[in-house]
Amino acid sequence: MAGESLIPPTEKRESTMSVLTPTLTLEQETNPWEAQAARFDFAARKLNLDQGIWKVLRQPTRELIVHIPVGMDNGSIEVFTGYRVQHSVARGPAKGGIRYSPDVSLDEVRALASWMTWKCAVVNIPFGGAKGGVICDPKKMSQGELERMTRRYTAELIEFLGPEKDVPAPDMGTDEQTMAWIMDTYSMHMRQTVTAVVTGKPVNIGGSRGRREATGRGISVVCDEALKQLGMSIEGCRVIIQGFGNVGSNAAKLLAEKGYTIIGIAEYDGGLYNQNGINIPALIEHRKLAGTITGFKEAEAADKEELLTCACDILIPAATENVITSRNADRLRCKILCEGANGPTTTIADDILADKKVFIIPDILANAGGVTTSYFEWVQDRMGYFWTEAEVNQRLDSIMTESFNDVILYAKTHSVNNRIAAYMLAIDRVAYTTKQRGIYA
Ligand code: NAD
């Protein structure tokens, strides 16, 4: 692929993010907002973007911070900090997930919000970008505590949410149940049921068929397309996946069904390896019963970090940000890096992987299947008519295929790498709409 460095040589000294210097700490390298901004600036420069529009699109439109009091099961009161960042509403309502994790920070939510803007534009759906998060450890909270926290977080943000304003969805640490609580809380305040206020809901209360598997399905489609580009075949194609949550487990299941060989899975508490292919449905069953992938008899235990650098055809990070950095990028041995997670690769790692000619399917394209089916859910909720799973999947497949080919064409036409091509395509679309709408004063 066009393995262009993120920062051209003449500009390397201007960037704080992509200079391979020993003085750059891992903390600086892995700040997600800085990583997003570095790529945005580079793509905007390539596009020769109007300076004023550049300033508008570089910053989020709105950042909200709420402190949420919650009555805990033991009778005490805890206060949790939550965020909602709306990066852009130029192309439609703000759209983006809510993350519950101890590592949530405003910079992370900002970066995730802007990635949502670019992602929705890459797949050309009529949404802007947003993201939310609460600093908490959902694994240590009861269902009752999570429900009370979710309802109060929703109530604090009530005037900023809505089907035409801002539509949340699940992300790490949240799920269909969380979305059901948000929908119910919002509906109680509106005095009517408003299903389209969130996506990723259970199917019986306005969710879409196919939404649960959508991000994994989208990943499987772009992997198919990448193989076609590179003249590789599914038969014998070895895949390693980091993260066996919603995205990772569904990607594994669908890829295995298509004939890919899943040779490794890494989770936070350990990894598995089987060069003949891991039986994914059996592993999903094991994880349901044991609560962990470890101890699965049909694969060898493997070191979770070493799995990232094992030889394979496709590596799919599907857990969290900053797992491919200056510390391990030169040891990666995959031909294709398909980013299931948001922001798994730092800008310095990007440069290293470009030198190694790794074909990258960037996050804002690779994991866009989730938000695309969220868009289908929002459409179905608003018309009150629901599609079959086959209809949802067929529409998703065609949008992912078309978007992949749009990005590849953009990369070839502008002689940039796939990531910068995806950013350029997205920024171009959002800038066009922003100019067309004009600046309200
Ligand atoms: P999830 O919480 O369902 O799963 C994440 C999994 O990764 C968990 O099983 C967790 O144990 C594991 N994990 C966490 N840290 C790890 C580490 N350091 N090493 C190995 N495993 C680790 O979350 P998800 O919804 O699958 O989201 C995963 C990523 O995909 C996130 O970056 C999210 O923003 C992104 N994403 C999700 C969707 C979606 O539809 N759910 C859509 C687009 C992007």
Side-chain angles (χ1 to χ4, degrees), residues 99 112 119 131 139 170-174 211-212 215 242-248 266-269 287 304-305 318-321 323 340-343 367-368 370-371:
R99 178 172 291 194
L112 289 161
K119 194 180 300 183
K131 204 79 179 193
K139 289 195 179 100
D171 192 75
M172 277 172 65
T174 56
R211 173 61 185 89
R212 194 179 295 161
T215 309
Q242 182 197 42
F244 203 63
N246 174 294
V247 177
E267 254 293 333
Y268 75 100
D269 57 351
R287 155 96 156 229
K304 60 180 179 166
E305 302 298 335
T320 186
E321 289 107 72
V323 292
N342 288 307
N367 67 35
V371 75

Side-chain angles (χ1 to χ4, degrees), residues 35 55 63 66 107 134 154 167 169 181 198 209 287 295 319 332 344 405 411-412:
K55 282 186 222 162
E63 301 180 351
V66 291
D107 264 356
V134 179
T154 309
V167 185
W181 291 326
V198 285
R209 294 184 180 87
R287 155 96 156 229
L332 257 55
N405 288 309
K412 285 184 179 151

Side-chain angles (χ1 to χ4, degrees), residues 57-338:
L57 300 186
R58 201 177 192 281
Q59 300 296 338
T61 297
R62 181 181 276 147
E63 301 180 351
L64 301 155
I65 303 177
V66 291
H67 299 287
I68 315 154
V70 178
M72 307 302 279
D73 290 350
N74 65 6
S76 67
I77 294 172
E78 206 49 74
V79 178
F80 296 91
T81 298
Y83 306 101
R84 185 76 185 166
V85 174
Q86 296 169 346
H87 174 261
S88 171
V89 288
R91 287 169 48 90
K95 183 83 191 83
I98 295 174
R99 178 172 291 194
Y100 288 172
S101 157
D103 303 325
V104 164
S105 69
L106 186 53
D107 264 356
E108 180 188 57
V109 179
R110 266 189 198 127
L112 289 161
S114 49
W115 281 325
M116 284 306 297
T117 302
W118 312 135
K119 194 180 300 183
C120 293
V122 165
V123 287
N124 215 359
I125 56 175
F127 283 136
K131 204 79 179 193
V134 179
I135 306 172
C136 66
D137 190 346
K139 289 195 179 100
K140 292 191 180 143
M141 294 169 71
S142 70
Q143 281 296 97
E145 289 168 344
L146 284 169
E147 176 172 355
R148 292 192 288 278
M149 187 181 78
T150 302
R151 287 187 184 276
R152 184 65 186 251
Y153 172 71
T154 309
E156 294 292 341
L157 295 174
I158 205 89
E159 61 265 52
F160 301 101
L161 303 178
E164 309 299 331
K165 294 183 185 174
D166 182 353
V167 185
D171 192 75
M172 277 172 65
T174 56
D175 57 17
E176 290 181 359
Q177 179 60 69
T178 323
M179 296 307 113
W181 291 326
I182 295 176
M183 191 277 271
D184 184 68
T185 307
Y186 185 84
S187 298
M188 289 296 123
H189 281 257
M190 296 301 131
R191 294 281 181 251
Q192 60 184 12
T193 297
V194 187
T195 51
V197 67
V198 285
T199 58
K201 298 178 294 291
V203 169
N204 61 309
I205 52 168
S208 176
R209 294 184 180 87
R211 173 61 185 89
R212 194 179 295 161
E213 303 81 13
T215 309
R217 175 173 295 279
I219 287 171
S220 78
V221 173
V222 292
C223 284
D224 292 350
E225 294 303 311
L227 293 194
K228 282 185 212 156
Q229 276 291 321
L230 300 174
M232 294 164 64
S233 80
I234 291 180
E235 202 187 331
C237 183
R238 299 155 307 155
V239 182
I240 294 180
I241 302 178
Q242 182 197 42
F244 203 63
N246 174 294
V247 177
S249 67
N250 282 303
K253 183 168 142 272
L254 291 159
L255 286 167
E257 281 169 11
K258 285 182 172 183
Y260 290 78
T261 311
I262 317 298
I263 59 168
I265 305 272
E267 254 293 333
Y268 75 100
D269 57 351
L272 297 172
Y273 184 83
N274 182 339
Q275 62 174 357
N276 299 318
I278 297 170
N279 179 341
I280 299 298
L283 179 60
I284 290 173
E285 267 316 297
H286 169 86
R287 155 96 156 229
K288 240 186 238 162
L289 295 173
T292 170
I293 64 162
T294 60
F296 182 60
K297 293 274 182 302
E298 298 172 42
E300 301 160 30
D303 183 276
K304 60 180 179 166
E305 302 298 335
E306 278 173 21
L307 276 169
L308 294 180
T309 57
C310 275
C312 64
D313 297 295
I314 307 181
L315 176 66
I316 306 179
T320 186
E321 289 107 72
N322 297 318
V323 292
I324 300 163
T325 69
S326 55
R327 310 295 201 265
N328 63 359
D330 60 334
R331 286 182 282 122
L332 257 55
R333 285 189 286 157
C334 57
K335 296 190 180 92
I336 298 169
L337 177 69
C338 180

